[in-house]
Amino acid sequence: QVQVVESGGGLVQAGGSLRLSCTASGLTFGDYAMVWFRQAPGKEREGVSCINWYGTYTLYADSVKGRFTISRSNPYNTLYLQMNSLKPEDTAMYYCAVGQDARCSASWSTPSRVQYWGQGTQVTVSS
């Protein structure tokens, strides 16, 4: 069966950095676009970033542009999210997700378009 596992979350001060990782097994990782979502308490789950199957095309939410970088290593079935200049408003549970196909479509940030979810990793940014 498909398993998606995130790691790398934690507590960091504002202005600091974290790198999240996600490994996916039970599927052909290189066939799918991958997406990072996040959900803060009391808020809806929102798309943070998407990367296409080959890693040549990326999309970001406006709130993280210029601060976060998504990347992937297909030989290692691993997705990354480098988060710099973190702000308290970045505090959330971060989820790794497998897209419907190889591209980051116009609906990439829609949770219902996700095939598989990880269990999430908590990121807390203190002020």
Side-chain angles (χ1 to χ4, degrees):
Q1 72 277 19
V2 175
Q3 287 191 317
V4 180
V5 181
E6 304 93 336
S7 62
L11 174 63
V12 64
Q13 289 189 330
S17 298
L18 280 175
R19 189 174 84 151
L20 305 183
S21 299
C22 166
T23 58
S25 59
L27 50 69
T28 305
F29 182 77
D31 282 354
Y32 299 99
M34 296 294 293
V35 186
W36 285 103
F37 285 82
R38 68 185 181 186
Q39 188 168 19
K43 294 189 176 182
E44 293 187 353
R45 192 168 297 191
E46 63 171 349
V48 174
S49 184
C50 181
I51 187 166
N52 72 342
W53 68 284
Y54 201 60
T56 54
Y57 183 73
T58 58
L59 292 170
Y60 296 93
D62 287 344
S63 58
V64 306
K65 277 181 185 175
R67 300 188 299 121
F68 290 12
T69 302
I70 191 170
S71 61
R72 66 190 295 161
S73 173
N74 287 349
Y76 292 98
N77 287 10
T78 303
L79 175 73
Y80 303 100
L81 185 68
Q82 178 66 44
M83 305 186 295
N84 298 330
S85 302
L86 282 161
K87 305 175 181 179
E89 51 264 44
D90 294 318
T91 295
M93 186 72 78
Y94 282 71
Y95 297 92
C96 174
V98 181
Q100 292 277 354
D101 56 33
R103 300 170 297 114
C104 295
S105 67
S107 59
W108 70 270
S109 61
T110 303
S112 63
R113 295 288 297 169
V114 168
Q115 276 204 77
Y116 304 103
W117 292 97
Q119 82 290 347
T121 187
Q122 178 67 39
V123 172
T124 303
V125 185
S126 64
S127 56

